[in-house]
Amino acid sequence: MTALDSVPTTQRPMGVAPQGPLDISDDDLVSCVACGLCLPHCPTYRVTGLETSSPRGRIAAMRAVQFGGAPIDTVFERYMEECIQCRGCEAACPSQVPYGRLIEGARQALHERRSHDRRRRRRLAEWLGYTVILPRHRLVIAATWLLGLGQRLRLVPRRLVPRGVALPLVSLTELRHPLQPTAPTAPSGASSGGPSTGNPTNAFDAVLFTGCVMDAWQRGTHRSAITVMESTGAMVGLPGPGGDCCGALHVHAGRTAEARRLAERVIASMPGDAPIVVDSAGCGAALKDYGHLLGSPEARAFSERVHDFAEWLAPRVDRLAVRDTHERVVVADPCHLRHVQRQTTPVRSILAASHRTVDTDDDGLCCGAGGAYNALQPDLALAARERKIAALQRAAGGAALTDFRVVSANPGCLMHLMAAGVRAVHPADLLAEALDPEHPRWPRDAIRPEPSRHPGSTP
Amino acid sequence: MDATVPDHRADRSFASPSDAELTRLVADLGVALGPDRARSDPLELALYARDAGVASGRAAAVCFPRTTAEVAAAVQTARRHGRPFLGRGSGTGLAGGATPVDDPVVIVTTQMNRVLEVDVDERFAWVEPGVLNLDLTRAVAHLGLHYAPDPSSQQACSIGGNVATNAGGPHCLLYGTTQAHVLAAEVVLPDGTVTVLGGLSPDQPGYDLRGVFVGSEGTMGIATRIAVRLMPDPPALRTLLLDFTDVDAAAATVSGIIADGLVPAALEMMDADITRMVEDFVGAGYPRDAAAVLLVEVDGLTHGVDDAIEIIRRVGTANGARTVRVAADATERNLLWKGRKSAFGAIARIAPNYYLHDTVVPRTRLVEVLRGVYAIADEQRIKVLNVFHAGDGNLHPLLVFDGREPGVMERVHAAGDAIIELSLSVGGVLSGEHGIGLEKRAYMRSQFSPDDLHVQAGMRDAFDPDGFSNPHKVLPAGSRCGDVQSLPEGVWV
Amino acid sequence: MTRVGAVAPALSAAEVAERAREIAASIGSSHGPVVAVGAQTHWEVGGPVPDLEEALVVRAPSGIVAYDPAELTITCGAGTPVAMLDATLAEAGQECPLDPADPAATVGGVLMAGLSGRRRLRWGPLRERLLEARFVTGDGRIVKGGGPTVKNVTGFDVCRLLVGSLGTLGVAVQVTLRCQPRQSVALWTVGPTGVSAADVRRRLFNPSCVASDTQGVHVLFEGHADDIDAELAVSGCTPVVAGPIGPQGPWRGRISVPVTALRAVVDGLDGLDGLDGLGALATSMVPAAGDGVTVAWLAEWGVGTVHVASLSAEGLLAARALAQAHGGWLLREAGRLGPAGPDGAGPSGVGLDDGFGVGLPDPQIQRRLKMAFDPAGRLNPGRIPL
């Protein structure tokens, strides 16, 4: 007989677990009971069928490192880097394992270790991207200009990365025109006048966080968001200096220290207590997590103010005068909206009057975009997208991709889907299209404190 | 052992392989399947050391075939190298059935995940083993069909794994377990040959090999294609919630409903603590102050369903149900079921560990057994929560604890032993749906005599005379040592 | 449903145990074949009929060991007549749809023959009824397989193996069966003219039986009267007094084909009309639907079963050939051949001797299973052609 009668229990280590090399809580790490209910909700497991690319497997690998003395080697690094960090597993976990915390902790350990032995060229590229460009909005805009020019001169191929991960055509016109919200009509009918950019204060009803890449590549969507928000009578402000890069990509890459610095900058850019509206699900999730990232009371208070665009709009949607387009749109919830912010109802309710929303049957499985993921792990990203597109088409009753639009509130997902020929659109753009231009804007007076019904509708 | 009894090599063990042997094994698997689909990195192997049970083992290699021929090649390669093998699906089993023992080659079927054929008229589908249970139901939903067995892990568990464990679920009360829903299975036998057990022809000549294979926990080969029955969606479907101030009354209602001539589609029970925690978690409208609730589902044709609702209402009320609530619509129904199926999630909120038993008792003995289970837990100072398939008497007492507390595991095991002993003493069985695997083998002798086990060992040997397929599972060591009671000399051979 | 006979007497567990010990002892103290005998209503099913003169004949006890309607299970001696079992269950408003052709059959006999009843489409095959069996193996072990509860995955499934094993694996002494509530109404109907059985079935949720013969479609409904009325309305079925009895004749058999091939087999049987077999059966047939016309086959839809009858062995052989051509087989249910000759062939020499007509799938596994239960091959030798 073998020694199987003395098989060790791995359900959790007994006694006091030794402090391992990963900066993650042992309590968090042992809270996984390996039931496997996360597996179908993991986009990488779904396309590979490998335990190594599943949340359960990654946690088991972290345990092997933390408790079992396994080395932090390239194998471990690969398992951790294959994670898209969509956190679909976290929403599905019956034991409520804080997977996001675990994977960020593991990535941070990898980042610190990598700083020593990663090849110089890659380190340089990462430094350029994460440390130089992303936090400097002018550089982002400048780089986007160059990209846009290159695209037009056909210097930049449509497909930068192998096999279909592509960049959208940048709008140079948009880049020339900065965002400039207009003041809403005052209750008396007189304009309160003046541009609303600059330092946001309580004078505004909401501040739209514009981000870095999105402001460069999808500024039109911000315009739509401002138009829609203003149509509810809100006076919309923009962040002050430093309110650009949210640091989400840095957190994902394990560059926690840089992320913290960026977070502090963002918080400083939007003082006051006005709601902060974010029309990028990824940025929204990051801003909502500042409380945890920084751990300070100010950060927590700041995070409390953060709302996704749809989340902010939903209670005010009755003020919008939209026409019913009868268009059927398939909803592709961004993971950071669905799994992290746990906001799925608002986008459906804000579109209810103008569009017919259809859901997919895949429990909101990630499309594979994942911030910079589709550039770093193109094979997995493309396989996940293939699966997503099949689900979108099923939801559309088998229609061709050209025959229906898909709504998603995250720039990364939009670009990733569009690169595959999906007609993906942000809900703000959909709503802006459907706004009735003849109808007067809702008067500002009625906005705070309590949203009420549209004057034109019956009580 | 008597000379006339066949030489049972299946009770054998396999020595650990040397590094050189492992290298050759993995190289050969790579030749058979492609180098990227045969792996042996220590960290990767560690991830295949267990399933959702507690026990942990060690694999020699792990491989990911995509076709029947590749599964057969993997089995043949393992055998050629003198290594046992182990089929694995999603690894959601709770009894250690997929825990590798004796350094086997783990053959993972997750990449075989296609629904191959759906026949709407004859209501069956051919699927690959890696198709997930809920995915199958979703794939046929637009045809008005579904796959009936619905284990709580149905979103994650695979049909191949369901076949291996004869998986159950709430709706098996009326529709039967996996066994009743598998028409045929293409199987790679332990000798590496391929056959089809059962068939679309519901009767097969000779012994029911399909019936033996389903539920054999991977000890008789690996299913590579499975024909399953699909059921038509019922025209009428209603879900009821009954609320009791007394556990005994809830248990009495369970047998009362059945005795009144009704077999509901599902009949589930949750006790006070679990109900409260589920309600905190899901907000489905479960009464927080109930001592127990019953979740009952009836389906079929309209009038029969209406009558059934009346029976449940009457029996429940007669037994002291405080309220009998009928879910008004699909949303309310789904919320109630979400509560039931999130029960384990709620548990994670009070203690980090649980140990789950799976005994079945005659449903008329539920009252006394439940009392006994609470008393046992009290005695061992372990918290116990009961959320289970009451309709078929399938208990799932959850012993919840913090494994870091010194000495707690001893008390958990003592409580588990006592619960099993109690269940068997009233005419129950060891496992209703999770299986025996590695973790419950030692209890087999409480339910079966040496002769019973001897016959079962012979069944295993019939499929796997050399003991290569998932060794050391289900049967306790020495199952083949039952004395032959009365075989005379000069026996007629 | 009407009561079919007297209820079964009580039988104590001690009596059963004693009987099991007696059977084990008699097996142990004898040589040669062992044959368990019930009511012999399925005597001709399968391989050659054993010669009782040369065998140790054993009989299982009869009576109810345990029955609590709230358990939906009943435990009885394997020798209990099905009619008695039915009567006992009927008193509590329950049933166990073993549905043998002859209710005099014993419970053990029905299980060993493994022939599912007419209501299989809705209530499942016979093999799903047996929860626990206590039996004596060929080497004299008293063995328990399965468990008494409705749900059980403890150990390997011995019970599935016993059902349909034709007495070759063990002598069943006591069995526990899964029962069900009796439906308030059971109604046989005939389908609308010109509508195929498959089409009728498509219109219905869960009929208990959809059968067809040369006369038309027969559907059995069970359930709530108002639901049945609604189902009649959507399907166009018309109530009749009784269901089809099925083809009768000296040579009978049961075709099992893939459910997808049933249509082709039925068409083929129609084509056999001119043969000196099925087509010439008119005189021995029982009227269907009261119109005096007779049939030689009856197909059960959704379960791949066709019952066939013939006046001659050749007719049954023709049906078997047809079944085999469509990936199925034919189990002989009647057609006495007498003891097998020394080369295994029966006296008729027509090739129906082994009762199956096809080689068994995975014969090596089947033989090893037989060895596990009956290493010396004493139990009903020849019944299953291993």
Side-chain angles (χ1 to χ4, degrees), chain B residues 121 179 195 202-203 207-208 210 303-304 307 362-364 394 431 433 447 451-452 454 456 462 484 488 492, chain C residues 28 70-71 120 127 141 144 151 153-154 156 160 168 181 201-202 224 227 259 303 329 362 366 368 376-377:
Chain B
D121 279 343
Q179 175 72 254
T195 190
D203 291 311
Y207 304 126
D208 182 10
R210 174 210 61 91
H303 296 97
D307 271 15
R363 61 172 80 78
T364 52
N394 190 180
S431 177
E433 55 185 14
Q447 188 176 332
D451 279 336
D452 301 345
H454 174 85
Q456 292 189 31
V484 178
W492 189 81
Chain C
E71 291 299 346
R120 169 187 199 160
R127 59 182 181 240
R141 295 170 195 265
K144 175 184 69 184
K151 198 173 180 188
V153 296
T154 317
F156 298 129
R160 291 285 150 51
T168 60
R201 190 176 159 223
R202 245 188 300 267
H224 193 287
D227 285 331
V259 285
V303 295
W329 59 294
D362 300 296
Q366 306 238 14
R368 288 195 291 246

Side-chain angles (χ1 to χ4, degrees), chain A residues 67-409:
Chain A
F67 306 134
I72 302 183
D73 55 8
T74 51
V75 176
F76 180 73
E77 183 174 338
R78 179 160 53 83
Y79 297 171
M80 296 305 121
E81 293 203 334
E82 278 177 358
C83 175
I84 308 181
Q85 302 191 54
C86 70
R87 290 165 67 181
C89 54
E90 206 172 284
C93 177
S95 300
Q96 296 174 284
V97 174
Y99 179 82
R101 280 214 294 269
L102 290 173
I103 191 75
E104 281 165 16
R107 289 262 179 118
Q108 190 184 342
L110 284 172
H111 170 66
E112 283 159 10
R113 177 181 159 278
R114 207 162 39 214
S115 319
H116 307 294
D117 59 5
R118 190 159 252 187
R119 271 179 301 156
R120 189 180 295 172
R121 236 171 69 185
R122 179 153 177 193
R123 254 166 45 208
L124 180 70
E126 285 178 351
W127 173 79
L128 203 64
Y130 288 111
T131 314
V132 178
I133 298 183
L134 285 177
R136 292 179 176 78
H137 198 55
R138 280 185 198 161
L139 284 179
V140 175
I141 300 288
T144 308
W145 262 102
L146 286 174
L147 176 66
L149 281 172
Q151 283 174 335
R152 275 155 188 76
L153 296 170
R154 315 217 171 224
L155 293 173
V156 180
R158 197 81 174 87
R159 286 161 207 286
L160 277 178
V161 199
R163 299 202 287 112
V165 178
L167 294 170
L169 195 64
V170 170
S171 165
L172 298 177
T173 321
E174 284 288 358
L175 281 178
R176 274 196 296 272
H177 296 93
L179 291 172
Q180 193 148 19
T182 55
T185 314
S188 60
S191 170
S192 57
S196 46
T197 44
N199 196 22
T201 66
N202 288 343
F204 301 108
D205 303 304
V207 181
L208 180 72
F209 178 76
T210 47
C212 48
V213 177
M214 187 171 175
D215 187 46
W217 291 6
Q218 296 176 10
R219 192 174 282 171
T221 296
H222 285 330
R223 267 187 235 289
S224 297
I226 291 169
T227 306
V228 171
M229 290 167 73
E230 288 181 344
S231 298
T232 68
M235 191 164 160
V236 180
L238 295 174
D244 39 48
C245 183
C246 68
L249 294 179
H250 301 77
V251 172
H252 292 174
R255 306 172 83 97
T256 316
E258 285 169 71
R260 289 204 179 101
R261 283 197 295 278
L262 290 168
E264 278 162 2
R265 236 174 56 167
V266 168
I267 291 174
S269 76
M270 288 177 279
D273 63 359
I276 293 158
V277 176
V278 189
D279 57 3
S280 151
C283 302
L287 264 59
K288 285 183 176 182
D289 196 45
Y290 282 175
H292 165 246
L293 181 69
L294 297 175
S296 66
E298 299 76 34
R300 277 193 287 275
F302 177 86
S303 286
E304 289 292 310
R305 292 165 57 202
V306 179
H307 294 74
D308 176 67
F309 169 74
E311 183 187 6
W312 178 87
L313 183 60
R316 300 164 175 85
V317 72
D318 285 346
R319 300 170 172 182
L320 287 183
V322 292
R323 59 196 168 77
D324 188 348
T325 63
H326 303 288
E327 182 189 356
R328 178 187 57 184
V329 290
V330 179
V331 181
D333 290 311
C335 297
H336 281 80
L337 201 51
R338 181 180 178 119
H339 306 310
V340 183
Q341 301 189 47
R342 311 272 168 115
Q343 296 288 335
T344 50
T345 322
V347 70
R348 289 158 178 81
S349 63
I350 64 170
L351 292 172
S354 55
H355 295 79
R356 302 292 88 79
T357 58
V358 189
D359 290 336
T360 54
D361 61 1
D362 62 352
D363 295 320
L365 199 67
C366 176
C367 68
Y373 184 85
N374 56 8
L376 298 172
Q377 301 278 347
D379 287 345
L380 286 170
L382 291 176
R385 186 173 68 187
E386 231 167 83
R387 215 188 145 84
K388 187 73 191 183
I389 287 174
L392 294 172
Q393 287 188 290
R394 275 199 306 279
L401 279 185
T402 46
D403 291 347
F404 66 96
R405 291 203 285 180
V406 172
V407 60
S408 177

Side-chain angles (χ1 to χ4, degrees), chain B residues 87-438:
Chain B
R88 177 184 167 110
S90 296
T92 54
L94 290 161
T99 298
V101 182
D102 277 6
D103 305 84
V105 172
V106 176
I107 299 173
V108 182
T109 58
T110 52
Q111 296 186 359
M112 301 172 74
N113 58 2
R114 293 172 302 164
V115 176
L116 300 168
E117 179 193 348
V118 177
D119 189 313
V120 181
D121 279 343
E122 293 300 338
R123 294 173 186 156
F124 69 85
W126 276 103
V127 303
E128 291 184 325
V131 170
L132 305 187
N133 177 304
L134 189 58
D135 283 1
L136 173 57
T137 282
R138 284 182 174 170
V140 298
H142 67 288
L143 304 168
L145 299 171
H146 67 279
Y147 179 64
D150 61 338
S152 291
S153 60
Q154 72 178 129
Q155 53 176 314
C157 60
S158 68
I159 300 292
N162 289 176
V163 169
T165 55
N166 187 13
H171 288 84
C172 290
L173 175 57
L174 183 58
Y175 293 107
T177 55
T178 302
Q179 175 72 254
H181 297 271
V182 172
L183 299 169
E186 178 189 77
V187 171
V188 173
L189 292 169
D191 64 2
T193 61
V194 180
T195 190
V196 177
L197 307 177
L200 295 180
S201 159
D203 291 311
Q204 297 291 319
Y207 304 126
D208 182 10
L209 303 184
R210 174 210 61 91
V212 177
F213 183 82
V214 176
S216 61
E217 304 197 34
T219 64
M220 296 179 183
I222 298 177
T224 50
R225 281 194 316 145
I226 301 145
V228 294
R229 288 171 73 200
L230 300 173
M231 307 292 284
D233 295 342
L237 174 67
R238 303 299 289 275
T239 306
L240 293 88
L241 182 70
L242 284 76
D243 149 23
F244 296 87
T245 52
D246 176 42
V247 178
D248 290 4
T253 303
V254 171
S255 41
I257 289 172
I258 306 275
D260 212 292
L262 175 68
V263 182
L267 210 180
E268 304 282 301
M269 182 165 159
M270 297 194 285
D271 70 9
D273 288 338
I274 197 84
T275 303
R276 212 165 33 245
M277 281 178 279
V278 159
E279 183 56 20
D280 288 347
F281 190 48
V282 179
Y286 283 109
R288 277 172 212 277
D289 58 341
V293 299
L294 294 179
L295 188 62
V296 193
E297 189 154 283
V298 284
D299 68 17
L301 296 164
T302 325
H303 296 97
V305 167
D306 288 345
D307 271 15
I309 290 173
E310 281 322 301
I311 291 176
I312 295 162
R313 200 189 294 279
R314 175 164 47 75
V315 175
T317 310
N319 279 290
R322 238 180 355 185
T323 57
V324 179
R325 176 177 137 204
V326 184
D329 53 24
T331 312
E332 193 177 349
R333 168 179 182 263
N334 290 339
L335 207 53
L336 287 174
W337 275 112
K338 189 180 174 197
R340 163 62 182 88
K341 292 196 171 177
S342 306
F344 291 166
I347 286 157
R349 303 181 139 207
I350 55 163
N353 300 85
Y354 62 82
Y355 196 82
L356 183 56
H357 285 278
D358 175 41
T359 63
V360 186
V361 300
R363 61 172 80 78
T364 52
R365 311 294 290 271
L366 271 178
V367 173
E368 64 177 284
V369 172
L370 277 176
R371 281 187 189 159
V373 166
Y374 289 119
I376 289 165
D378 273 353
E379 195 180 318
Q380 298 295 339
R381 291 170 289 119
I382 301 280
K383 186 157 189 63
V384 69
L385 302 165
N386 280 290
V387 44
F388 63 103
H389 312 305
D392 39 29
N394 190 180
L395 296 173
H396 287 326
L398 275 150
L399 304 168
V400 297
F401 58 96
D402 187 331
R404 288 170 293 191
E405 188 187 321
V408 73
M409 285 311 293
E410 285 71 25
R411 303 206 312 275
V412 167
H413 284 308
D417 290 353
I419 289 170
I420 285 170
E421 194 183 324
L422 171 65
S423 301
L424 295 181
S425 75
V426 299
V429 299
L430 187 49
S431 177
E433 55 185 14
H434 299 166
I436 303 304
L438 199 55

